[in-house]
């Protein structure tokens, strides 16, 4: 029997919004788990899990207006998912086929893997929106480690001077690979750096999706009105940096407070159950539906195959003589071998 559930979560937030945040968090978690297991069987060469950051990323993504632009990194796949980027696109990108997209219309830039490069780009995107008077704001995602890069300081400085409509969303997960937060900066907080550049600042419990949602919503509306904001979302990386990393070599979880390392999904589910806005089986039923969605997305992503000559396609408008020679050498080599890359049975 279906229980009638309340319309308002304990915080006063709309019940449907609270349930939708939880659904997106669970969907992201299941995606993350599947991606790790796909990597473990060699389906893709590496994967950076976001486990532990679901509330931070889903809360922030849900606060964005449809036209707002996301500037993501390799870690922020939960944000792309919550914004509506198809799973198959993310999987294809991670498998090495970034050019095979579905053609979705979510305003999201390619993930930057080079730390902090998205920050000045986001400021440029925001300034262009102001110049064209199109009204969108930009949410630029990056990690605690990015705040030690020159790009961070240059970007915030220019944003402050030109009132760029940008929210700088720093997800402080406590680690930059093996560098812990206290070795990243001697500042008391990351957000206080905003004062130096004359922009707004806000620190939030990144494991509380409602708090992140409300903080980012306010920050985006301040940004639209000409005040860029630096938001620091405090959470914790529960997994390794990437599937190539062994955090047991360096990590000391006990040095973080319990609220920071808590599982955001368990915590939010318990909270909503206590407020009587949730059916007890919601998480299980979302999990089952997402497993099916993933089966289809993996099959779709597997359909992308590469012509070895693509290697020569995406860097130069006109090939150089050296590239022409290399392309010819590969053609000859391919002619001498049947199915040299094992494409015929690569998905078995
Ligand atoms: C400019 C640059 N320097 C170094 C690296 C290598 N690198 C990859 S991830 C990373 C740590 C980034 O930490 P943080 O910004 O906290 O993001 P997180 O991985 O925790 O999401 C580093 C140093 C890089 N990708 N780009
Ligand atoms: Mg980090």
């Amino acid at each position: 029997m279906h229980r009638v559930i309340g319309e308002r979560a304990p915080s006063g937030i709309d019940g449907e919004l609270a349930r939708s945040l939880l659904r997106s968090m669970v969907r992201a978690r299941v995606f993350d788990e599947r991606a790790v297991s796909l990597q473990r069987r060699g389906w893709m060469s590496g994967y950076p899990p976001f486990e532990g950051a679901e509330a931070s990323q889903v809360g922030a993504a849900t606060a964005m207006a449809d036209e707002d632009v996301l500037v993501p990194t390799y870690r922020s796949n939960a944000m792309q998912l919550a914004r509506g980027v198809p799973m198959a696109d993310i999987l294809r990108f991670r498998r090495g086929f970034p050019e095979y997209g579905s053609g979705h219309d979510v305003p999201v830039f390619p993930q930057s893997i080079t730390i902090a490069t998205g920050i000045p780009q986001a400021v440029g995107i925001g300034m262009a929106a102001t110049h064209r008077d199109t009204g969108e704001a930009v949410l630029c995602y990056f990690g605690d480690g990015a705040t030690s890069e020159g790009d961070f300081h240059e970007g915030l400085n220019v944003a402050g001077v030109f009132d760029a409509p940008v929210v700088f969303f720093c997800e402080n997960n406590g680690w930059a690979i093996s560098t812990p937060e206290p070795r990243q900066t001697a500042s008391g907080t990351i957000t206080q750096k905003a004062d130096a550049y004359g922009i707004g600042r806000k620190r939030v419990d990144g494991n509380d999706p409602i708090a992140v949602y409300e903080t980012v919503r306010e920050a985006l509306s301040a940004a639209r009105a000409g005040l860029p904001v630096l938001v620091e979302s405090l959470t914790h990386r529960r997994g390794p940096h990437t599937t190539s990393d062994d955090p047991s070599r360096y990590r000391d979880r006990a040095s973080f407070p319990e609220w920071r390392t808590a599982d955001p999904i368990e915590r939010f589910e318990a909270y909503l159950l206590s407020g009587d806005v949730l059916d007890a089986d919601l998480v299980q039923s979302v999990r089952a539906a997402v497993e099916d969605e993933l089966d289809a997305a993996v099959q779709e992503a597997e359909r992308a195959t590469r012509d070895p000559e693509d290697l020569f396609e995406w860097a130069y408008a006109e090939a150089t003589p050296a590239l022409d020679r290399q392309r010819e050498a590969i053609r000859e080599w391919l002619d001498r071998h049947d199915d040299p890359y094992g494409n015929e049975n690569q998905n078995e």
Side-chain angles (χ1 to χ4, degrees), residues 14-335:
D14 177 69
E16 188 44 47
L17 174 61
R19 287 186 288 276
S20 131
L21 287 167
L22 183 62
R23 267 191 233 106
S24 295
M25 288 163 65
V26 173
R27 178 168 173 263
R29 171 72 57 91
V30 177
F31 175 92
D32 201 51
E33 290 168 354
R34 177 78 72 96
V36 170
S37 91
L38 284 167
Q39 192 284 330
R40 291 292 183 234
R41 67 177 173 85
W43 195 88
M44 52 182 150
S45 59
Y47 177 76
F50 53 72
E51 185 191 346
E54 292 87 352
S56 170
Q57 296 193 19
V58 167
T62 308
M64 296 174 74
D66 287 349
E67 67 276 14
D68 289 344
V69 180
L70 174 64
V71 178
T73 77
Y74 54 87
R75 180 81 60 208
S76 59
N77 286 311
M79 289 197 82
Q80 282 101 296
L81 288 172
R83 288 286 282 146
V85 175
M87 284 180 171
D89 278 357
I90 298 174
L91 292 172
R92 269 188 291 253
F93 175 86
R94 296 252 41 117
R95 208 176 188 213
F97 295 92
E99 70 277 29
Y100 289 76
S102 62
H104 67 76
D105 59 1
V106 183
V108 47
F109 270 65
Q111 307 183 5
S112 76
I113 296 188
T114 315
I115 304 302
T117 47
I119 299 174
Q121 291 166 4
V123 178
I125 299 163
M127 288 171 69
T130 305
H131 184 66
R132 296 197 318 248
D133 199 20
T134 41
E136 69 268 25
V138 183
L139 192 136
C140 180
Y141 172 97
F142 52 90
D144 40 299
T147 65
S148 298
E149 290 282 354
D151 276 348
F152 168 81
H153 299 275
E154 292 161 25
L156 267 61
N157 184 55
V158 172
V161 171
F162 291 99
D163 305 330
V166 181
V167 172
F168 299 98
F169 186 74
C170 176
E171 188 169 86
N172 182 348
N173 63 8
W175 297 95
I177 312 186
S178 55
T179 302
E181 197 180 324
R183 302 294 289 173
Q184 197 63 249
T185 180
S187 304
T189 67
I190 283 175
T191 35
Q192 75 194 57
K193 296 171 195 277
D195 294 351
Y197 302 112
I199 69 172
R201 59 147 137 155
K202 193 85 184 224
R203 264 186 131 201
V204 64
D205 174 355
N207 288 336
D208 177 344
I210 297 176
V212 178
Y213 171 83
E214 288 179 341
T215 299
V216 172
R217 245 175 102 87
E218 265 175 39
L220 282 165
S221 79
R224 276 190 204 94
L227 179 68
V229 182
L230 172 61
V231 173
E232 180 181 358
S233 173
L234 291 149
T235 179
H236 191 257
R237 196 189 78 214
R238 294 171 72 84
H241 171 70
T242 67
T243 41
S244 314
D245 174 43
D246 173 9
S248 69
R249 302 283 294 265
Y250 59 81
R251 180 154 60 195
D252 172 18
R253 192 176 279 183
S255 63
F256 289 90
E258 193 278 334
W259 63 264
R260 184 100 181 254
T261 57
D263 181 329
I265 294 182
E266 281 175 15
R267 199 174 81 162
F268 193 45
E269 184 188 12
Y271 178 66
L272 295 186
L273 285 171
S274 76
D276 217 19
V277 286
L278 197 65
D279 276 332
D281 62 359
L282 183 118
V283 168
Q284 269 326 310
S285 63
V286 173
R287 271 192 165 271
V290 177
E291 294 290 0
D292 292 345
E293 185 187 359
L294 266 161
D295 289 343
V298 170
Q299 275 187 15
E300 191 186 332
E302 282 177 345
R303 284 200 285 273
T305 51
R306 172 153 292 129
D307 178 345
E309 288 191 42
D310 281 358
L311 269 176
F312 301 96
E313 286 303 327
W314 306 96
Y316 294 94
E318 285 173 33
T320 61
L323 281 179
D324 278 338
R325 281 195 299 278
Q326 290 170 19
R327 184 194 282 254
E328 202 39 51
I330 282 197
R331 273 190 194 139
E332 279 169 18
W333 191 83
L334 288 169
D335 284 346

